Amino acid sequence: MSDTAAPQLRCGSISLDLSSPIVMGVLNVTPDSFSDGGSFALQENAVTHAGLMLASGAKIIDVGGESTRPGAESVTVQQELNRVVPVVEMLIKEYQCLVSVDTSSPEVMLAAAEAGAVLINDVRALQRDGALDVVAKLDLPVCLMHMQGQPVDMQSNPQYSSITQDVSAFFDRRIDACLAAGIARDRLLLDPGFGFGKTLAHNLELLSHLNRFTSYGLPLLVGMSRKTMIGQILDKPVDQRLFGSVAAAVLAVERGAHIVRVHDVVETVDALRIVEALRLRNN
Ligand code: 8Y4
């Protein structure tokens, strides 16, 4: 197997250069209460926030309408469509930016792609009925993320014989399933899924050995921003995890991550520019 990912990722008509680290900005369109996410105010707000992230150096905006936080309840496909599709449309119209859609529903993948999304980010790695076929037809890049269990119960008692081996075996199975469904290998990205059915020890082992996953020769995406693992190490609530999250992003890129999914774009972009300066100096 090759040890270097393709330096370019084809996303629709745009080619993303992965030879330096890419920041993906998180755009949640999940209302906390009172509305179903279809409200115009919430959508306007989301678009403004995306504009700030793009101006700060985010190269991709990841739009999600399903909360996959530990213990989160599931949403209907219609709720997800109402939340995600108008925002994708507005982002393309306003900024002509690269939009990724964070979804596991084939209906949402299709509708978001029609609205202009060029990357599918699926925390369930195309395991829902119909998802493989839709992505094969769309011919868009797709991120295959590892998760043990489902969001509602994934943190109850995560267990592995060896986390890196288990995650690799999962990647092997999902890559095979994608190829069998007619998805080209150069459409795939991999993500070990920090926090998705993992204890702190599991997450640290994954981060420590992240470079093992570069042997697939596929782009690696990671998300640790503000997550519980950062909170556990720092013993701090979600609004005080900025510096820890930035450190985690730096460590991940040092270990081979190509794309980092983050909330705090300015800070992460600056930190990664330092990493990049040293990398260029040493090459
Ligand atoms: C505070 C902040 C507490 C964030 C929890 C969270 C990933 C992902 C998520 C990831 C990829 C989250 C959609 C979870 N995490 N997609 N999505 N990789 N590819 N939780 O790690 O941010 S949502």
Side-chain angles (χ1 to χ4, degrees):
M1 272 186 278
S2 154
D3 220 59
T4 42
Q8 304 278 326
L9 182 68
R10 231 180 350 110
C11 297
S13 56
I14 298 164
S15 189
L16 197 59
D17 180 11
L18 299 177
S19 59
S20 52
I22 299 282
V23 168
M24 167 189 269
V26 177
L27 192 67
N28 279 320
V29 202
T30 47
D32 291 330
S33 54
F34 305 118
S35 90
D36 69 351
S39 90
F40 188 66
L42 185 122
Q43 292 170 0
E44 281 279 271
N45 221 299
V47 172
T48 304
H49 183 223
L52 292 173
M53 292 196 287
L54 290 165
S56 308
K59 293 288 191 294
I60 310 172
I61 302 296
D62 189 41
V63 183
E66 180 206 11
S67 177
T68 44
R69 288 185 186 200
E73 283 175 43
S74 57
V75 293
T76 66
V77 169
Q78 193 57 54
Q79 275 177 314
E80 243 193 292
L81 286 168
N82 293 346
R83 292 172 183 183
V84 164
V85 176
V87 172
V88 174
E89 271 169 7
M90 291 159 84
L91 289 176
I92 305 286
K93 188 170 166 227
E94 223 31 64
Y95 309 117
Q96 298 87 44
C97 60
L98 290 183
V99 175
S100 148
V101 61
D102 153 24
T103 189
S104 300
S105 327
E107 297 91 340
V108 179
M109 293 172 186
L110 184 61
E114 282 170 354
V118 292
L119 197 156
I120 310 294
N121 177 27
D122 185 4
V123 300
R124 293 179 187 79
L126 305 184
Q127 292 179 97
R128 284 226 178 123
D129 284 350
L132 283 166
D133 289 340
V134 164
V135 172
K137 281 214 184 65
L138 292 173
D139 191 34
L140 291 179
V142 58
C143 180
L144 304 172
M145 200 199 77
H146 175 272
M147 166 164 50
Q148 185 180 86
Q150 290 296 314
V152 66
D153 65 355
M154 64 188 178
Q155 291 306 109
S156 61
N157 188 23
Q159 289 192 1
Y160 299 87
S161 49
S162 153
I163 181 130
T164 50
Q165 284 176 31
D166 284 24
V167 170
S168 286
F170 176 82
F171 286 157
D172 292 339
R173 288 198 304 277
R174 296 316 298 158
I175 291 168
D176 284 351
C178 287
L179 298 179
I183 301 171
R185 198 174 193 278
D186 72 358
R187 308 285 67 208
L188 306 179
L189 299 86
L190 303 176
D191 184 334
F194 287 100
F196 285 84
K198 284 130 190 148
T199 64
L200 175 58
H202 295 139
N203 289 316
L204 289 174
E205 187 171 344
L206 279 178
L207 180 55
S208 178
H209 300 301
L210 194 67
N211 58 354
R212 289 187 187 170
F213 303 118
T214 61
S215 63
Y216 286 93
L218 297 174
L220 289 184
L221 193 159
V222 302
M224 288 180 277
S225 180
R226 297 186 188 174
K227 281 185 181 174
T228 301
M229 62 179 287
I230 308 291
Q232 287 170 321
I233 296 167
L234 301 180
D235 191 22
K236 286 183 174 178
V238 66
D239 62 342
Q240 292 169 38
R241 297 176 188 168
L242 169 59
F243 304 110
S245 297
V246 171
V250 166
L251 291 168
V253 166
E254 279 287 274
R255 284 159 180 73
H258 299 89
I259 304 177
V260 290
R261 181 183 178 276
V262 307
H263 300 84
D264 303 290
V265 174
V266 185
E267 295 86 348
T268 309
V269 166
D270 273 2
L272 294 182
R273 284 171 67 182
I274 307 299
V275 175
E276 218 18 42
L278 199 65
R279 192 182 277 184
L280 289 174
R281 146 74 175 68
N282 291 339
N283 278 345

